[in-house]
Amino acid sequence: MTIKQYAFHVHAYLRAQGTASLTRSQVHELLAAAAGFATHAAFHHQAAWCDVAWRDTGFAPDEGRVIQRCLDFGLSDEEAVRAAQGLVCFLGASGYAPVRFEELIAALTSDEDEWVEADETESDVVAEWLSTALISRMQHEFDTLLRGLPLLLEGLEAAAARGIAAAHLAIAYMLEPHGELSDEDDRRFGRELRRCGEWSTEPVSFAEIAAGADRFIRVVAKHRYHLLAAARGRDRRAMLLTATRYGDPGALELEPSDDIYPYDMADLADANDRPELAYQWLTVLAREGDVSAMRELIEDRDETPFRAWVWMYLSRMLGRDLSQDRYQAINEDRSPYDDDVGGPAYAGGVAGIELTPLAVEEDRHAKEEAAQLFAVIEERYEPT
């Protein structure tokens, strides 16, 4: 069944119940209201209908919101109540369930932190019906996915065509088990995209996959298309995924946060010839107390003399003075030398950094800034 056919059946049922004044577009609005949305447009921006009976979800349609929408359309109080009751009856008997894109993504990734704007109890209920009635059906062969979930696939593709990043990401996650390749294949694909200078691919529809040959190749292409499209739509999760898998530089635009490893971002910036962004990400690490990042900024990133002294003073406050030689005995494979094992020993480590002294006033400012950074680091890591 298609979305249009679903609305047609609802419309016919309401007309048979005596609500003849409603138009088809108004029926779409009432369905969205029953699902808890203010408008049909809002529904399509955040959700889709799926091939699961509404009665299996554990949620009741929002009858009060349906009544209000009927009143908005000019129905009398009596007509509004009758139409709402008729719609609720239809949905309970043969209606399809709505699913929010974010709920679907969370269920597909099995990550409770992905749930948005839902309390713990509601999340548990949604997770249960999604897992038992929907996600389990996606874990079978790809043909089962195509035949068993036409309503959901239509809704997701329509939303993706409108540029909804969460819909793109939901499709990508759905296809992942069916179009997964090795890490080396992903890196090769990323190199091809970088050579072309475009971090996007041509869309592939579910209909093309169902009708064409080379199905696996098309599934892989569709998966990659939607993942990249979600990243271009600035979905943070997709941006981090495409950065990790393909070396997509889009993630370099993200603000630092706990879920981003700055060294990875610095490597990503260097791989995409963006040394200024690599410098910024290493600076993030240095400000957080990473002495190795401080050393790299001084030795390899053309750090200014003033900033180099800030890092030098900060390293001393952290007990890892960058001006001191740090050598130790190591084995040939660079592992730490063990006296009990014996054998030939080699010298490993780094030499201390020598800096040209600053002017007195500038040196004082460098010490003050280092002290301020140290205070922030101490506060962040102070035991509670």
Side-chain angles (χ1 to χ4, degrees):
M1 178 179 292
T2 66
I3 294 171
K4 286 185 178 180
Q5 290 171 334
Y6 179 43
F8 174 83
H9 287 305
V10 175
H11 195 196
Y13 179 86
L14 293 177
R15 288 173 65 89
Q17 297 297 310
T19 310
S21 60
L22 290 171
T23 65
R24 188 69 53 79
S25 63
Q26 288 173 338
V27 168
H28 281 289
E29 293 289 342
L30 295 186
L31 284 169
F37 291 86
T39 65
H40 183 230
F43 173 86
H44 276 305
H45 193 78
Q46 301 176 52
W49 300 108
C50 68
D51 309 80
V52 173
W54 194 310
R55 60 179 175 271
D56 293 337
T57 66
F59 287 109
D62 192 336
E63 186 173 344
R65 192 183 288 271
V66 175
I67 291 173
Q68 183 56 54
R69 289 300 280 156
C70 288
L71 294 174
D72 294 341
F73 298 147
L75 273 66
S76 67
D77 291 351
E78 181 181 348
E79 289 174 320
V81 170
R82 184 169 64 248
Q85 290 176 342
L87 180 58
V88 169
C89 181
F90 176 89
L91 294 176
S94 54
Y96 288 105
V99 59
R100 293 175 183 264
F101 302 140
E102 291 296 341
E103 293 172 350
L104 181 57
I105 289 169
L108 287 164
T109 57
S110 299
D111 183 352
E112 293 181 0
D113 291 337
E114 298 285 359
W115 296 88
V116 289
E117 296 183 0
D119 61 35
E120 187 174 342
T121 302
E122 182 178 344
S123 295
D124 290 343
V125 174
V126 175
E128 183 177 351
W129 80 259
L130 277 174
S131 177
T132 58
L134 190 60
I135 303 303
S136 61
R137 293 160 65 182
M138 297 179 185
Q139 296 171 344
H140 298 292
E141 294 182 357
F142 189 73
D143 281 338
T144 304
L145 181 70
L146 288 177
R147 292 195 305 268
L149 300 172
L151 200 61
L152 176 62
L153 300 186
E154 180 189 353
L156 284 171
E157 278 200 326
R162 293 192 298 272
I164 308 301
H168 280 295
L169 186 59
I171 295 174
Y173 278 136
M174 286 175 59
L175 294 176
E176 183 128 356
H178 306 286
E180 194 171 8
L181 291 176
S182 68
D183 292 344
E184 180 53 39
D185 283 321
D186 284 341
R187 286 192 290 270
R188 188 182 302 113
F189 175 66
R191 290 193 293 270
E192 292 174 2
L193 291 175
R194 187 177 295 111
R195 279 196 297 270
C196 295
E198 280 191 39
W199 292 92
S200 61
T201 59
E202 290 297 316
V204 179
S205 69
F206 283 113
E208 290 177 276
I209 295 174
D214 301 324
R215 175 169 292 186
F216 179 72
I217 295 174
R218 291 173 183 267
V219 171
V220 171
K222 184 172 181 63
H223 171 258
R224 287 172 166 175
Y225 162 73
H226 286 289
L227 189 55
L228 288 166
R232 299 287 74 76
R234 298 195 59 78
D235 184 287
R236 181 184 186 85
R237 297 157 297 190
M239 294 170 80
L240 292 175
L241 277 173
T242 56
T244 301
R245 295 181 182 183
Y246 313 138
D248 181 356
L252 294 171
E253 304 170 12
L254 296 173
E255 294 294 324
S257 68
D258 291 342
D259 63 341
I260 295 179
Y261 188 47
Y263 273 120
D264 287 345
M265 291 296 103
D267 291 343
L268 180 64
D270 283 332
N272 286 277
D273 299 321
R274 299 293 302 275
E276 75 285 359
L277 292 180
Y279 172 85
Q280 290 178 18
W281 283 103
L282 288 169
T283 300
V284 169
L285 283 163
R287 292 177 67 87
E288 293 177 348
D290 190 311
V291 178
S292 296
M294 299 177 201
R295 176 179 289 276
E296 183 170 348
L297 286 168
I298 296 171
E299 293 185 331
D300 303 325
R301 301 288 174 168
D302 298 324
E303 191 63 282
T304 64
F306 173 81
R307 187 62 50 192
W309 272 105
V310 171
W311 303 137
M312 180 65 74
Y313 287 130
L314 181 56
S315 73
R316 291 173 181 173
M317 295 173 187
L318 292 167
R320 299 194 43 204
D321 189 347
L322 284 170
S323 67
Q324 299 297 310
D325 294 340
R326 294 188 179 277
Y327 292 108
Q328 62 177 349
I330 60 173
N331 296 309
E332 189 174 4
D333 63 359
R334 307 194 68 80
S335 61
Y337 184 78
D338 189 337
D339 288 328
D340 294 334
V341 176
Y346 303 87
V350 292
I353 297 174
E354 295 184 10
L355 297 176
T356 303
L358 298 173
V360 174
E361 187 65 16
E362 198 172 19
D363 187 64
R364 182 176 67 82
H365 287 311
K367 289 178 179 177
E368 289 176 352
E369 184 168 334
Q372 292 169 0
L373 291 171
F374 182 69
V376 173
I377 293 169
E378 270 198 318
E379 183 178 354
R380 177 178 300 173
Y381 295 105
E382 182 179 355
T384 56

